[in-house]
Amino acid sequence: MNISWLTDKNDYTCNTANDLKSVTVTWPELKAIPLTWTRVTVNEPQSLSNVELQFNREGTAEKSSCLNETFAEVNNKTLDRRCNDDVTITSLTLSGNLSSLCSFYISGGRNIAYGQHASQSSDWTLSRLVFRAHVAVDGNTNSRIRDGSCTHTLEEISPSWNLTLQSNYVIKRFTIYNRGDGNEERLQGFVINTYDENRARIGYYEDRSGLRNVLIYFINLKGNVNDTVNFISIRLNGEQKILTLCEVEAYGECPSGKWSLQCGKLCPASCPNTCDRDTGACNTVCFGYSNPPQCDTVCASGKWGINCRNTCNNGCFEGKCNIRTGLCDNGCMGYSDVPYCGSECSKDRWGINCSNICSQHCYYSTCDSLTGHCDQGCLSGYQLPDCTRECLEGQWGVNCTSTCNKNCYDKVCNPKEGSCNSGCIEGFQPPICTQECVIGTYGRNCLFNCSSLCVNAECDPVKGACNKCPSGYEGHACDIKMFSMELNSFGIGFVVGTLALVLVIIALLLNKTLVFHWSPRTESLAVRTNLQLKECANYDYVTDTAHQPDDVNNDYETTSTNKCYEDVLANSPYDCINVT
């Protein structure tokens, strides 16, 4: 992929590849440089928080992040990031959502040497051209000695070039440009020393490469490089040496608490040790924190980025994301490309990182990527929303929207087809019990045949009763034969006589009833006689009201009520209750 837009120093040429997730920048010729600050420019303001910065330390392959980092928002599309970890790195990697990235700048510090006061042990002159010390800090890196842009000492013992700084700086790195038109080997074995304002040595470097024709030296100092420097010395030790330098660049920064080009100004009281070294402004940017410049209040859940002003991606699981980068570290919900969560699940998958498969009972086997609900509905026999459960008893069909036929036995049916699992009630045919029994059948599931005696074999489809019987037959199944008699004079007489006899017998049964009630003779005669007389009186009343003389056949015996009294006076062992 062509990423020339990243380093073309044009902030208006930007990335056009939406799938760009990382970019690594290296500088083989420099080997390693101290990391001080970087600048990122984007074309969408929110993307400033999307960029994560990692680096490889010198001598390690493992990527690290800056632990002590401060920020300065140049504008809503440009952010400076300063690393205060004192690290020397061999590569830098940008990662995250880089779809709107435009430019990336890396600084090893400002060139402190430029324009500072320089001196050397001697000046060499060629045809009125004097090669003085100050041309090594004029910003001109031309390496042709006769163009007058390089220093040159006389041939002498241990020649030196010195630089006195206007203020104190933290200096960690040098770039030295050697002459390039011959005699390059003269610089071999040079030594650099840095000193504080009391001339105590701070940092040092000695060339032991053994290389004779090096045009540019990239140097990382050793020693107490975090201490401030006020004086720099470059020397060639030994006899009969000539020191030539075409340009010296000393990269460093203001010490903590100071700012400006000369590092002579103090930071404001509100941020006495952390102000921007170029502008003196207090830090107004917190990554993952909401309260600049202190930056110690973590973003609320669902928020991230610069001063917590961004909202986590809707695709992040539980709506949570990395407070610094906005990446969905806990996974995606309904998306597959962890941690970016920008690619939706395929139509047949859903859930965390699209790890779940839609129910096979979803229509078209597709479902909602977040919930797993079958957004196209369920196949016949299954319930919404996720089509994993069969229809409730008494329901069937697509989304279980149909009700089992009322003619199904127990109102239960097949959830997919609607057929009655237990058959039909009386009078209807399986499987779906919507049609009545065919002519000639009846009962549950129409399993029974109508009686062969039914006219046209037709009967009630529920009970099986014949709709019509042949002449001379009756009954449920037309199996009862009817008898008839021709009524002539004899027959009429026979019927009338029979009926009369029956009536007489009934009358005799009703009127000729004798009930005896036994009672031991323990009572006095007077009491018993009174009871009996009362009962006899009742009897007289009953007989008088129930049988009028004209209603009784005189051919039958009638017992007088006097008989009751006679029995009582005769001290019968039985009480006479009633005699008819």
Side-chain angles (χ1 to χ4, degrees):
M1 179 183 295
N2 183 6
I3 59 170
S4 58
W5 47 266
L6 184 63
T7 56
D8 63 0
K9 299 181 181 180
N10 184 348
D11 292 345
Y12 297 98
T13 57
C14 304
N15 173 40
T16 57
N18 291 330
D19 59 346
L20 183 63
K21 304 301 182 185
S22 67
V23 173
T24 298
V25 180
T26 59
W27 40 90
E29 72 282 1
L30 300 181
K31 294 184 179 179
I33 63 171
L35 177 62
T36 56
W37 62 267
T38 61
R39 173 171 290 181
V40 175
T41 301
V42 298
N43 59 12
E44 294 180 6
Q46 182 171 330
S47 297
L48 278 178
S49 301
N50 285 331
V51 180
E52 180 71 7
L53 183 64
Q54 292 182 307
F55 50 80
N56 288 99
R57 295 174 183 267
E58 184 178 15
T60 66
E62 183 180 355
K63 292 186 181 300
S64 304
S65 298
C66 188
L67 300 178
N68 184 15
E69 193 172 22
T70 55
F71 308 90
E73 199 170 21
V74 179
N75 55 55
N76 66 345
K77 295 182 179 181
T78 302
L79 182 71
D80 286 349
R81 307 173 63 148
R82 182 175 297 277
C83 182
N84 302 305
D85 284 357
D86 186 25
V87 291
T88 301
I89 63 174
T90 57
S91 68
L92 271 171
T93 299
L94 297 176
S95 60
N97 184 358
L98 307 182
S99 59
S100 66
L101 183 61
C102 298
S103 298
F104 181 51
Y105 302 89
I106 305 170
S107 173
R110 71 181 83 180
N111 180 13
I112 301 299
Y114 179 77
Q116 299 282 353
H117 178 70
S119 63
Q120 58 186 9
S121 55
S122 62
D123 298 331
W124 182 63
T125 303
L126 176 64
S127 301
R128 299 183 181 180
L129 180 61
V130 181
F131 297 89
R132 301 188 184 278
H134 72 275
V135 296
V137 290
D138 62 359
N140 185 353
T141 60
N142 186 340
S143 61
R144 290 176 56 85
I145 190 75
R146 292 184 179 273
D147 291 339
S149 62
C150 303
T151 69
H152 197 297
T153 67
L154 299 174
E155 186 175 3
E156 58 184 338
I157 298 173
S158 301
S160 63
W161 178 91
N162 304 307
L163 190 67
T164 302
L165 306 178
Q166 296 177 357
S167 184
N168 297 327
Y169 301 89
V170 177
I171 299 175
K172 300 180 180 181
R173 183 172 67 92
F174 283 82
T175 300
I176 295 179
Y177 293 84
N178 192 10
R179 63 185 297 177
D181 56 354
N183 297 317
E184 293 88 353
E185 73 282 358
R186 288 180 178 176
L187 195 55
Q188 183 180 355
F190 69 93
V191 174
I192 301 178
N193 286 297
T194 61
Y195 302 87
D196 63 17
E197 55 190 353
N198 296 318
R199 294 298 186 270
R201 194 174 76 164
I202 301 299
Y204 62 91
Y205 173 81
E206 181 177 355
D207 174 38
R208 297 180 178 180
S209 65
L211 301 177
R212 295 173 57 85
N213 300 310
V214 178
L215 298 181
I216 304 175
Y217 290 88
F218 299 101
I219 301 162
N220 293 315
L221 292 181
K222 300 177 182 180
N224 301 321
V225 293
N226 290 318
D227 292 344
T228 56
V229 173
N230 182 260
F231 184 79
I232 299 169
S233 174
I234 300 176
R235 177 184 299 273
L236 278 174
N237 294 321
E239 297 182 356
Q240 306 302 312
K241 301 286 185 177
I242 297 174
L243 177 60
T244 300
L245 302 169
C246 293
E247 190 70 22
V248 175
E249 296 173 349
Y251 291 96
E253 293 290 344
C254 296
S256 176
K258 292 188 177 182
W259 68 280
S260 78
L261 184 62
Q262 291 79 27
C263 300
K265 298 182 179 181
L266 298 176
C267 290
S270 56
C271 54
N273 297 311
T274 60
C275 71
D276 184 87
R277 290 169 172 81
D278 294 325
T279 65
C282 290
N283 176 33
T284 58
V285 175
C286 297
F287 262 86
Y289 297 87
S290 60
N291 59 328
Q294 291 81 11
C295 298
D296 54 10
T297 302
V298 177
C299 292
S301 179
K303 293 291 186 178
W304 69 281
I306 296 176
N307 303 338
C308 306
R309 62 193 183 199
N310 299 327
T311 302
C312 295
N313 186 336
N314 289 334
C316 291
F317 179 62
E318 297 181 337
K320 298 178 181 179
C321 61
N322 185 294
I323 60 174
R324 289 177 55 86
T325 65
L327 297 178
C328 304
D329 294 340
N330 295 326
C332 307
M333 191 64 183
Y335 295 84
S336 60
D337 54 332
V338 181
Y340 307 105
C341 302
S343 298
E344 287 191 1
C345 299
S346 59
K347 292 183 177 181
D348 63 340
R349 303 190 76 88
W350 69 281
I352 300 175
N353 306 331
C354 304
S355 57
N356 300 322
I357 300 175
C358 299
S359 169
Q360 61 181 333
H361 306 304
C362 290
Y363 210 75
Y364 300 122
S365 295
T366 64
C367 64
D368 184 273
S369 61
L370 297 178
T371 65
H373 293 172
C374 302
D375 43 18
Q376 300 296 319
C378 303
L379 295 177
S380 183
Y382 293 89
Q383 302 180 54
L384 292 170
D386 57 6
C387 306
T388 58
R389 295 175 296 170
E390 286 192 346
C391 296
L392 296 175
E393 189 173 282
Q395 298 178 342
W396 72 282
V398 175
N399 302 331
C400 302
T401 53
S402 300
T403 302
C404 294
N405 192 313
K406 64 181 180 179
N407 299 323
C408 289
Y409 191 75
D410 291 336
K411 303 296 186 293
V412 176
C413 63
N414 183 291
K416 295 181 181 179
E417 303 168 357
S419 58
C420 301
N421 292 340
S422 301
C424 309
I425 62 174
E426 289 82 354
F428 292 89
Q429 304 178 54
I432 59 175
C433 307
T434 57
Q435 294 181 327
E436 288 188 348
C437 296
V438 297
I439 294 174
T441 62
Y442 75 96
R444 277 200 62 194
N445 302 323
C446 304
L447 293 176
F448 304 100
N449 294 322
C450 296
S451 171
S452 61
L453 299 177
C454 296
V455 174
N456 297 326
E458 294 182 3
C459 66
D460 181 85
V462 177
K463 300 298 183 181
C466 294
N467 294 340
K468 184 178 181 181
C469 293
S471 178
Y473 289 87
E474 64 180 359
H476 183 89
C478 298
D479 53 356
I480 301 175
K481 186 173 180 63
M482 298 174 60
F483 295 93
S484 62
M485 181 184 297
E486 185 177 351
L487 297 178
N488 51 25
S489 59
F490 172 78
I492 294 173
F494 176 80
V495 171
V496 172
T498 302
L499 290 174
L501 179 60
V502 171
L503 292 174
V504 170
I505 294 171
I506 293 173
L508 288 174
L509 293 173
L510 293 174
N511 296 298
K512 293 292 185 175
T513 303
L514 179 61
V515 179
F516 291 96
H517 176 250
W518 177 84
S519 176
R521 289 181 176 270
T522 59
E523 301 150 323
S524 67
L525 179 61
V527 174
R528 187 172 68 247
T529 302
N530 289 336
L531 174 61
Q532 291 167 343
L533 290 175
K534 182 178 181 181
E535 290 171 347
C536 289
N538 287 340
Y539 165 76
D540 290 341
Y541 174 77
V542 172
T543 55
D544 288 343
T545 59
H547 301 287
Q548 297 301 318
D550 296 338
D551 296 335
V552 180
N553 192 324
N554 294 326
D555 293 336
Y556 296 92
E557 178 182 3
T558 301
T559 304
S560 172
T561 58
N562 293 329
K563 172 67 173 158
C564 180
Y565 294 105
E566 293 172 356
D567 289 340
V568 172
L569 295 174
N571 297 322
S572 172
Y574 298 96
D575 289 333
C576 180
I577 296 177
N578 200 351
V579 177
T580 304

